[in-house]
Amino acid sequence: SKETGRNCHHFFNAIMLDDVLKKRELIDDLRSSIVNNEFELYYQPIIDLSTNKIRKAEALIRWHHPVRGMVPPLEFISVAEEVGLIVEIGEWVARTAAQDLADLKKLGADEHFQISVNVSPIQFKDGGQWMSHWFEYVAGLGLSHDAIIVEITENLLMESEESVRSQLTKLKKQGVPIAIDDFGVGYSSLSYLQKMDVDILKIDKSFVDDLETESNSRDLCQIMIMLAQHLSIQVIAEGIENEEQRMILANLGCQFGQGYLFSKPLPLTLFKQKYFDDSVL
Ligand code: C2E
Ligand code: CA
Ligand code: CA
Ligand code: CA
């Protein structure tokens, strides 16, 4: 009837309004979180599958909101990207990761140890503000340009915008390693891997998830690993959760692995204790 139709209409409007208000609130909270310093970086080890030693770590952001508690990145990164706050957050991430790495080097992390940071496409589309003082900053900490890996998604490789392309070229020229995150789920044309001289491929967790049971996943992992080897690109398998997956990947020649089997992402103090405490090394 006309009546239910109208109620229905009101009902949906109420839901939409509620969503809008909730999002508005989240955006306001995000703005103040930058000022109030509510972010923290966690670190997840990246393990050499042939030696079982830690070789790199990925920095993953955590937001501790005074009322909401811990807000996972999947709940706020896309909103931060939408309203541009990711530019400021991303700068904080890159700088904090570099400081933390300098700190770890003092604790004895070896000279090849690297930290990997996620850089949003919006940070590139913004004109690359995060990069403007980056090289001086990193050098000021006594780190070389290849100490911090920049993780981008494969779609960015295909970006035709001139400013984005020149930023990627500049990173490469300056010796910054580029990793392709979530490899295999986007739309990259393989020729771009070579053209852009990519350094690392990260095989998406979705290919690792059912590796023990699905021969299809195993075939796809094998293809990606062979491709990387052929192009002399390092390869990291993401989301390794059990011993079978680790073994299959190691046997396929996958160089590095990351996942809960080795460790969940840890706050810096715990990460230090677990991997860089002299008394355990
Ligand atoms: P990602 O870059 O693909 O990061 C890997 C995600 O998988 C992380 O989730 C990590 O905790 C999780 N993970 C690692 N190993 C396993 C495993 O064995 N099993 C399972 N189930 N999960 C595993 P997290 O930390 O919640 O981050 C989610 C996404 O948020 C990241 O995906 C990345 O896209 C984004 N993100 C995180 N930190 C940052 C940041 O500093 N900047 C930007 N722009 N994005 C970030
Ligand atoms: Ca990543
Ligand atoms: Ca990933
Ligand atoms: Ca992912």
Side-chain angles (χ1 to χ4, degrees):
S1 74
K2 218 174 181 179
E3 191 58 35
T4 30
R6 204 182 303 140
N7 281 339
C8 213
H9 191 64
H10 283 195
F11 177 66
F12 282 118
N13 268 344
I15 288 183
M16 277 155 55
L17 182 62
D18 195 41
D19 276 354
V20 169
L21 291 176
K22 274 191 184 138
K23 192 160 157 190
R24 185 73 250 164
E25 215 180 304
L26 185 73
I27 295 166
D28 287 344
D29 282 6
L30 264 177
R31 286 216 169 81
S32 48
S33 69
I34 299 175
V35 183
N36 298 339
N37 220 339
E38 290 165 6
F39 295 115
E40 184 181 4
L41 289 184
Y42 275 34
Y43 291 94
Q44 187 177 33
I46 295 169
I47 304 293
D48 185 324
L49 294 179
S50 59
T51 63
N52 238 10
K53 291 209 166 98
I54 184 169
R55 297 288 301 280
K56 315 171 196 289
E58 178 174 5
L60 294 157
I61 197 167
R62 296 293 178 261
W63 177 18
H64 305 282
H65 186 270
V67 179
R68 297 171 191 267
M70 164 101 87
V71 189
L74 290 178
E75 281 176 30
F76 71 88
I77 291 289
S78 62
V79 176
E81 287 177 329
E82 218 177 291
V83 297
L85 287 172
I86 193 70
V87 170
E88 227 172 306
I89 296 172
E91 266 190 279
W92 177 86
V93 168
R95 285 172 179 246
T96 305
Q99 284 161 21
D100 290 347
L101 179 57
D103 204 18
L104 290 169
K105 298 262 174 181
K106 284 190 199 121
L107 286 179
D110 79 84
E111 55 169 331
H112 302 296
F113 183 78
Q114 295 165 306
I115 282 181
S116 190
V117 296
N118 293 282
V119 179
S120 160
I122 305 299
Q123 291 176 260
F124 284 92
K125 297 207 170 124
D126 164 67
Q129 192 188 313
W130 73 276
M131 254 175 68
S132 62
H133 301 289
W134 176 243
F135 301 107
E136 297 88 320
Y137 187 77
V138 165
L141 288 166
L143 299 169
S144 56
H145 288 176
D146 63 0
I148 306 281
I149 300 163
V150 167
E151 289 193 15
I152 60 175
T153 46
E154 52 192 321
N155 298 351
L156 195 75
L157 274 189
M158 311 269 289
E159 180 62 54
S160 53
E161 202 182 302
E162 184 45 39
S163 132
V164 173
R165 303 217 60 80
S166 73
Q167 287 168 57
L168 286 171
T169 309
K170 182 173 175 198
L171 282 177
K172 283 306 308 173
K173 268 202 194 120
Q174 292 284 337
V176 177
I178 306 277
I180 305 303
D181 205 356
D182 307 335
F183 185 70
V185 298
Y187 304 97
S188 76
S189 133
L190 295 182
S191 66
Y192 276 84
L193 291 176
Q194 196 159 30
K195 236 184 269 172
M196 277 315 298
D197 193 13
V198 162
D199 300 273
I200 302 170
L201 287 188
K202 299 190 76 173
I203 298 179
D204 191 65
K205 179 178 180 300
S206 58
F207 299 101
V208 175
D209 278 342
D210 43 15
L211 206 49
E212 327 86 284
T213 49
E214 288 285 326
S215 62
N216 205 19
S217 296
R218 189 187 300 225
D219 291 346
L220 288 169
C221 282
Q222 177 158 34
I223 289 167
M224 290 187 269
I225 292 163
M226 282 169 60
L227 172 74
Q229 285 169 344
H230 184 72
L231 297 173
S232 303
I233 297 176
Q234 293 187 346
V235 53
I236 302 172
E238 297 189 296
I240 302 178
E241 292 183 345
N242 61 50
E243 180 51 33
E244 294 96 297
Q245 293 166 348
R246 188 201 64 79
M247 195 128 79
I248 293 167
L249 287 159
N251 288 337
L252 289 175
C254 184
Q255 201 176 358
F256 300 105
Q258 178 181 355
Y260 292 174
L261 172 68
F262 308 107
S263 172
K264 291 199 168 181
L266 300 169
L268 182 63
T269 33
L270 284 181
F271 180 74
K272 271 184 193 164
Q273 271 172 29
K274 191 163 173 189
Y275 295 99
F276 295 98
D277 184 345
D278 283 339
S279 59
V280 278
L281 281 180

